[in-house]
Amino acid sequence: MSATHTIVNLPDQRTATLPKRNYLNNEDGLLSWLFTGDHKRIAILYLISITFFFFIGGAFAGLIRLELLTPQPDLVASDTYNKFFSMHGIIMIFLFLVPSVPATLGNFLIPIMIGAKDLAFPKVNLLSWYLYWIGGLFTMAALVLGGVDTGWTFTTPLSTHYLNTHVVTAATGVFIIGFSSIFTGLNFIVTIHRMRAPGMTWFRMPLFCWSNYAASILMVLGTPVLAITLVLVALERLVGIGVFDPTKGGDPLLFQHLFWFYSHPAVYIMILPGMGVISEVISTFSRKRVFGYTAVAFSSVAIALFGFFVWAHHMFIMGVSNYSALVFSLLTMLVAVPSAIKIFNWAFTLQKGSITFETPMLYAFGFLGLFTIGGMTGVFLGALGMDIHLTETYFIVAHFHFVMVGGMLMAFLAGIHFWWPKMTGRMYPESLSKLAAVTTFIGFNLTFLPQFILGYLGMPRRYHAYPPEFQVLNVLSTAGATVLGVGYMLPLLYLGWSLKYGAIAGNNPWQATGLEWQIQSPPLTENFIETPVVDHEAYDYEWLAHKTAQEVTTVG
Amino acid sequence: MHISPVLWQFLVKWLNASALFPREASTIAPYADALYFFLLLITVVGLVLVGVLVFGFSIRYRKEKHPVAVQVEGSTLLEATWTIIPLALFLIVFVWGALLYFRIYNPPTNAMNIYVVGKQWMWKAEHPGGQHEINALHVPTGRPVQLTMISQDVFHSFSIPDFRVKREVIPGRYSTVWFQATTPGTYHIFCTQYCGTNHSAMIGEVTVLSPDDYDKWTQESTSGMSLAQNGERLFASMGCNACHSGSAAARGPNLAGVYGSKLQLASGSQVLVNDAYLRDSILNPSQHITAGYAPIMPTYQGQISEDGLIDLVEYIKAMQNNYRVQQTLTTSQSNQAAPTTPGTVKP
Ligand code: HEM
Ligand SMILES: [Cu+2]
């Protein structure tokens, strides 16, 4: 494909400059950032923070894979290995995946997309970033003081009675981070309800807002349960209240119920905002309304609501009664349906489009493939008898990495590339970014496809050493992880480079319809000088063509 | 339920040779694999379908070919199609998976029982005849074997991949799993629930023997005392027989024949006496007062190990074993004997 086919219509690079006044240069100095109430600046703060934690979590992933290169426990001692995967899980889940899209892209875009000047509670928004960091520091403290080896699940009685590591410190960290996500969720819900511009009805709202709205419901309703569970763990550990202790009449299965009551919805907190990104990207680069907009919008909400009723599918082998297992399996099959609907809706959005293959689109295609595999392997695990064999093996590891890393991280990268010109006013280098997308996709599959086979062969997860017959597949997986690591490093480098040297992007490099593309890049602190009045649907390309033609005639 | 033998044998033989597939060493394994292949099939079909749509549309409607997009609202018919077909497929998977689950977790009534205690970081198996093994388990082919498992500390999980069975081993309650091995050989036992430092070293080996070899093994490795005999000794040394002497004047109820019966409690409710009930009433006697007796039994919490409890339970069972209580996962609250599933019984 030659460069002339790209749809990017950049301003003339010899004369173009960034807008003189924008949210980045509006005020100077570190303090103006640390005390900002601007949702866009907070988004940038989050972006830097989660990137930092992502690479720390990634370093642990690298160490894990390196250890698993050989069947012998030769790189580190088992305690150390256990701390590695615990830190990897805790950091990736709570400090990266949960806040990733909502706190960065959501924060930046939701007010603009609905035509508002900021979120409903700017100070709460800033507070939630500080809570994120306080929680992050507790987690880091647990790490620096010697680590924690509970796994990210904090399972009792292991965590409460049998470990001498920094469980309470790490749990405190997660507890605090939880409030950060509750506040973000609340802020989004109130903003979307109360601050839409005139004419921005619910059904003119971009799907990105819908999916973040759905995720926010989950954050607000689910996270308190996690908080309670962690408090109980801490109390059990510190004063031995005994709610989870069978010798005191408590029940360790209660912990499992409480924990998964949060953690299952949490996976939807992680994936739903990513789905929103995919809707935006696919629509823009095929220049079409999302096929079955209403179905896609409602399926987000359906996933959110049904997501609360399937937690026990993490416990099929743990002694839920056979009959409740039946119910939870059935409900699990039912929540799989809205995801399937979305995949086909995205695919059919391409039909009769006018498609170009920009970097965000490549990531979105990657998402479609990986998320389909991730979703279908979820059906394996929802099927009762099959789950018995597969659960707690590498099949699980592969499954959730396909959904969360293959799905969510692909979506995150798609979104970052897509909105990068808006956030920074500059373009990233085209061919490098495509290379990164392809590298990530290949590396990802090489890493995690072998793990499905390992899982069916029976290799348990969280194993530091393993029987030698599993080695070949583990070596493949480690090789893949190396490629994947390169795929993740590339954007870090060229996006950093583009901040200074990237081409000036102009307001609407993709010719997209969203309100965020109708304002300058980077935006003004107040987003809109006048509150916009919305008179068209989301993804209305005819409106856009009309508008552009008008602008041309007025200018000419 | 039968699986087409010829094609199946061929497929499985071929896969077993490829080392990408676990051995099929129990009667359950072929059933699990059948569902696995069905799931793989629909996954591949789904993936190909999505791939064909995405690549097909990308080629057909790329900008060079199709410069102006045609706006489409959606299509109720299409959307209904891709709602109903996945739903139907998932419901098939649900029913199939549920049937398999019941097959795997409902032990046949004639299964031989072996106890397993999980602890950081080893598996202890105890055969009723008194054979003890650590990180090892010997079982015969062709006989259903039921494991009654409990953890002494944290969650563990007992998994034999080549049998396609696994069950969580939980502190404070008995859980069970059963299988019928088909092929002599040795297979991995894994602990699959993360249980602390040496989790990955909590590996054992199940040795499947032909029935004759198994009999030989039991004779050679007996400690001379069966579990019930150990239990009898404990029963005397812990002072149980002072009250449960069986005589009419005794202060506690006679335990002979109590196992498997329904007991009238002082609280008015009835319980089924199973392993879990016996264990629980030794540890928390005040919560299970048999009608007609005073709440005078002391608790033995902290005085008897899980192994000791197993011995006592075996002894009480052996006092007069009128019928076997079939159990899948038992707490002292489960007062229903699981229904027998005729399809799974192979005497
Ligand atoms: C190069 C990329 C990655 C590699 C090679 C990798 C590798 C692994 C491995 C081998 C495990 C299993 C540990 C075990 O069960 O013994 C694991 C667990 C996990 N990974 Fe990753 N990972 C990668 C990236 C990620 C990313 C990007 C995320 C999240 C965004 C993530 C989230 C998790 C989570 C939540 C767990 C579960 C931890 C636990 O079992 O406690 N991983 N990862
Ligand atoms: Cu274990």
Side-chain angles (χ1 to χ4, degrees):
Chain A
M1 215 184 315
S2 71
T4 52
H5 287 135
T6 167
I7 65 157
V8 183
N9 58 348
L10 300 177
D12 182 350
Q13 293 297 316
R14 284 161 307 180
T15 56
T17 51
L18 290 183
K20 253 197 228 76
R21 199 165 71 81
N22 63 48
Y23 78 101
L24 291 168
N25 63 13
N26 194 27
E27 280 178 88
D28 282 331
L30 190 61
L31 287 186
S32 76
W33 281 87
L34 293 181
F35 293 107
T36 183
D38 180 1
H39 64 103
K40 299 180 288 302
R41 285 191 163 202
I42 295 172
I44 300 293
L45 292 175
Y46 263 117
L47 181 59
I48 296 167
S49 320
I50 68 162
T51 308
F52 169 76
F53 282 112
F54 174 74
F55 281 96
I56 295 189
F60 282 111
L63 290 168
I64 294 172
R65 283 290 3 144
L66 209 56
E67 167 62 55
L68 295 178
L69 200 53
T70 60
Q72 297 82 27
D74 38 19
L75 181 68
V76 291
S78 53
D79 262 333
T80 315
Y81 179 83
N82 298 344
K83 288 173 184 169
F84 284 176
F85 76 69
S86 302
M87 288 318 291
H88 171 68
I90 293 172
I91 292 176
M92 285 301 194
I93 295 271
F94 298 111
L95 287 162
F96 177 74
L97 280 172
V98 169
S100 59
V101 169
T104 59
L105 297 170
N107 244 332
F108 196 98
L109 294 161
I110 287 175
I112 311 186
M113 281 182 164
I114 62 171
K117 297 201 163 154
D118 205 326
L119 284 172
F121 309 114
K123 295 213 175 90
V124 173
N125 195 17
L126 184 65
L127 174 64
S128 93
W129 180 71
Y130 279 103
L131 287 174
Y132 171 88
W133 261 104
I134 296 171
L137 289 177
F138 268 96
T139 314
M140 289 292 135
L143 172 63
V144 173
L145 294 174
V148 61
D149 54 351
T150 54
W152 72 277
T153 47
F154 295 99
T155 312
T156 61
L158 181 66
S159 63
T160 50
H161 292 81
Y162 292 88
L163 293 176
N164 294 318
T165 52
H166 300 273
V167 180
V168 175
T169 318
T172 309
V174 172
F175 178 83
I176 298 171
I177 300 163
F179 282 93
S180 155
S181 97
I182 294 173
F183 286 157
T184 305
L186 266 177
N187 225 335
F188 286 179
I189 291 177
V190 176
T191 308
I192 289 175
H193 272 274
R194 308 286 307 176
M195 298 177 65
R196 281 170 287 126
M200 175 56 79
T201 60
W202 283 91
F203 291 101
R204 282 182 183 167
M205 222 166 48
L207 288 166
F208 181 76
C209 298
W210 272 101
S211 60
N212 274 283
Y213 178 76
S216 302
I217 298 177
L218 292 172
M219 289 184 201
V220 171
L221 298 180
T223 319
V225 181
L226 174 71
I228 292 164
T229 316
L230 292 173
V231 169
L232 290 176
V233 166
L235 287 177
E236 179 101 29
R237 194 174 163 88
L238 298 173
V239 296
I241 52 170
V243 271
F244 302 137
D245 182 355
T247 62
K248 292 189 178 146
D251 186 355
L253 281 179
L254 176 63
F255 172 85
Q256 300 286 341
H257 281 289
L258 287 173
F259 182 81
W260 289 113
F261 186 81
Y262 164 76
S263 291
H264 191 80
V267 308
Y268 298 116
I269 297 178
M270 298 174 220
I271 195 67
L272 276 168
M275 294 172 154
V277 174
I278 298 304
S279 297
E280 302 297 321
V281 168
I282 291 189
S283 150
T284 301
F285 295 108
S286 46
R287 318 213 57 68
K288 267 195 65 205
R289 186 182 194 272
V290 173
F291 191 95
Y293 169 98
T294 330
V296 178
F298 280 129
S299 65
S300 293
V301 180
I303 289 176
L305 296 181
F306 282 105
F308 276 113
F309 299 102
V310 299
W311 76 88
H313 70 203
H314 296 272
M315 303 168 62
F316 286 154
I317 68 162
M318 269 182 211
V320 289
S321 79
N322 287 358
Y323 298 97
S324 66
L326 274 185
V327 172
F328 280 103
S329 169
L330 181 62
L331 289 170
T332 302
M333 295 300 168
L334 296 183
V335 258
V337 175
S339 303
I341 295 179
K342 282 184 190 246
I343 298 215
F344 287 108
N345 274 299
W346 286 321
F348 269 80
T349 301
L350 299 169
Q351 189 204 14
K352 303 212 171 117
S354 176
I355 306 167
T356 51
F357 306 94
E358 308 301 328
T359 309
M361 191 68 154
L362 295 189
Y363 278 114
F365 282 178
F367 171 96
L368 285 186
L370 302 181
F371 184 71
T372 307
I373 299 180
M376 282 306 299
T377 47
V379 176
F380 284 57
L381 299 167
L384 288 169
M386 197 79 265
D387 180 70
I388 295 174
H389 179 55
L390 293 175
T391 189
E392 300 177 351
T393 68
Y394 262 81
F395 195 94
I396 290 277
V397 176
H399 157 71
F400 74 61
H401 279 83
F402 261 83
V403 176
M404 282 159 23
V405 184
M408 183 59 186
L409 206 63
M410 284 292 196
F412 179 70
L413 287 167
I416 286 293
H417 284 86
F418 185 58
W419 282 295
W420 191 253
K422 181 53 60 183
M423 295 165 83
T424 65
R426 290 183 185 271
M427 296 302 299
Y428 46 80
E430 183 70 26
S431 33
L432 257 181
S433 60
K434 286 192 172 146
L435 179 70
V438 174
T439 312
T440 313
F441 186 79
I442 294 173
F444 183 87
N445 281 298
L446 188 55
T447 310
F448 293 107
L449 280 177
Q451 295 184 5
F452 283 122
I453 304 171
L454 276 175
Y456 203 74
L457 283 169
M459 175 162 162
R461 72 194 283 206
R462 301 175 170 185
Y463 260 30
H464 160 238
Y466 53 85
E469 69 261 30
F470 298 143
Q471 187 174 11
V472 176
L473 290 163
N474 273 297
V475 169
L476 279 181
S477 184
T478 301
T482 317
V483 179
L484 189 56
V486 172
Y488 290 146
M489 289 304 287
L490 278 174
L492 187 68
L493 300 177
Y494 64 73
L495 288 179
W497 175 91
S498 79
L499 286 177
K500 199 153 171 137
Y501 306 103
I504 302 290
N507 295 349
N508 194 356
W510 316 124
Q511 290 299 300
T513 59
L515 280 184
E516 78 271 28
W517 299 108
Q518 316 311 323
I519 60 175
Q520 69 173 45
S521 337
L524 290 168
T525 301
E526 56 271 44
N527 300 343
F528 302 94
I529 295 172
E530 281 170 53
T531 306
V533 177
V534 182
D535 56 3
H536 59 95
E537 293 194 329
Y539 320 117
D540 188 342
Y541 287 91
E542 277 145 17
W543 164 83
L544 183 73
H546 185 67
K547 175 175 177 281
T548 321
Q550 256 182 350
E551 272 167 13
V552 170
T553 42
T554 39
V555 171
Chain B
M1 203 157 65
H2 277 287
I3 303 161
S4 157
V6 180
L7 203 64
W8 185 254
Q9 295 296 326
F10 179 77
L11 188 63
V12 167
K13 278 226 172 74
W14 179 74
L15 276 168
N16 279 346
S18 78
L20 293 179
F21 197 71
R23 287 175 291 175
E24 283 188 333
S26 76
T27 50
I28 292 290
Y31 292 100
D33 292 346
L35 177 55
Y36 180 64
F37 285 116
F38 177 72
L39 283 159
L40 268 184
L41 182 77
I42 60 174
T43 304
V44 170
V45 169
L47 197 61
V48 168
L49 188 63
V50 173
V52 166
L53 288 175
V54 169
F55 284 109
F57 289 150
S58 292
I59 293 166
R60 173 88 178 67
Y61 298 111
R62 66 187 188 277
K63 184 164 189 180
E64 297 92 279
K65 268 274 168 65
H66 199 247
V68 179
V70 180
Q71 298 301 324
V72 190
E73 274 290 297
S75 152
T76 315
L77 183 68
L78 270 176
E79 289 184 57
T81 317
W82 65 59
T83 309
I84 290 167
I85 292 178
L87 180 64
L89 280 174
F90 296 166
L91 288 180
I92 293 172
V93 171
F94 160 70
V95 172
W96 195 337
L99 291 173
L100 183 62
Y101 188 79
F102 283 94
R103 186 183 284 271
I104 294 179
Y105 276 166
N106 281 348
T109 39
N110 62 339
M112 60 184 267
N113 189 46
I114 299 174
Y115 290 91
V116 172
V117 178
K119 51 172 110 175
Q120 284 177 323
W121 288 276
M122 65 170 83
W123 295 113
K124 279 179 80 171
E126 317 204 348
H127 298 252
Q131 298 80 2
H132 292 266
E133 310 182 67
I134 288 186
N135 288 343
L137 182 66
H138 286 74
V139 294
T141 54
R143 266 182 81 182
V145 175
Q146 175 180 331
L147 306 180
T148 300
M149 309 184 290
I150 193 160
S151 163
Q152 196 162 299
D153 36 48
V154 301
F155 282 95
H156 299 278
S157 189
F158 187 93
S159 158
I160 307 175
D162 293 328
F163 292 0
R164 313 288 188 272
V165 297
K166 176 185 294 135
R167 186 120 205 188
E168 200 81 3
V169 179
I170 301 170
R173 69 170 81 187
Y174 287 116
S175 61
T176 70
V177 71
W178 79 277
F179 51 80
Q180 180 173 330
T182 51
T183 326
T186 58
Y187 308 92
H188 292 299
I189 300 170
F190 290 128
C191 173
T192 55
Q193 174 67 275
Y194 173 61
C195 59
T197 308
N198 288 332
H199 169 53
S200 64
M202 198 165 153
I203 294 185
E205 202 163 68
V206 51
T207 306
V208 177
L209 301 169
S210 67
D212 289 346
D213 289 345
Y214 179 73
D215 287 341
K216 232 185 280 159
W217 178 84
T218 26
Q219 262 137 42
E220 279 165 11
S221 50
T222 176
S223 61
M225 293 273 267
S226 71
L227 296 187
Q229 285 167 319
N230 282 333
E232 187 170 12
R233 255 198 344 201
L234 260 179
F235 199 76
S237 67
M238 306 292 299
C240 315
N241 54 3
C243 291
H244 300 284
S245 61
S247 69
R251 291 186 295 165
N254 185 359
L255 298 182
V258 75
Y259 184 78
S261 66
K262 283 226 165 176
L263 201 62
Q264 188 69 41
L265 295 188
S267 66
S269 59
Q270 271 201 341
V271 290
L272 174 78
V273 178
N274 57 21
D275 298 42
Y277 175 80
L278 290 176
R279 177 180 178 279
D280 208 31
S281 45
I282 297 167
L283 297 177
N284 305 308
S286 57
Q287 281 164 31
H288 313 272
I289 311 297
T290 311
Y293 290 89
I296 52 167
M297 175 164 162
T299 168
Y300 287 86
Q301 186 92 50
Q303 301 178 42
I304 312 181
S305 67
E306 289 296 347
D307 305 21
L309 285 164
I310 287 170
D311 293 339
L312 280 173
V313 167
E314 268 299 295
Y315 171 59
I316 296 169
K317 272 170 150 179
M319 280 179 171
Q320 187 193 325
N321 196 352
N322 42 9
Y323 66 91
R324 245 187 59 73
V325 177
Q326 192 209 36
Q327 44 176 345
T328 53
L329 182 109
T330 52
T331 66
S332 53
Q333 268 88 46
S334 45
N335 62 352
Q336 294 294 316
T340 50
T341 34
T344 57
V345 179
K346 281 213 191 97

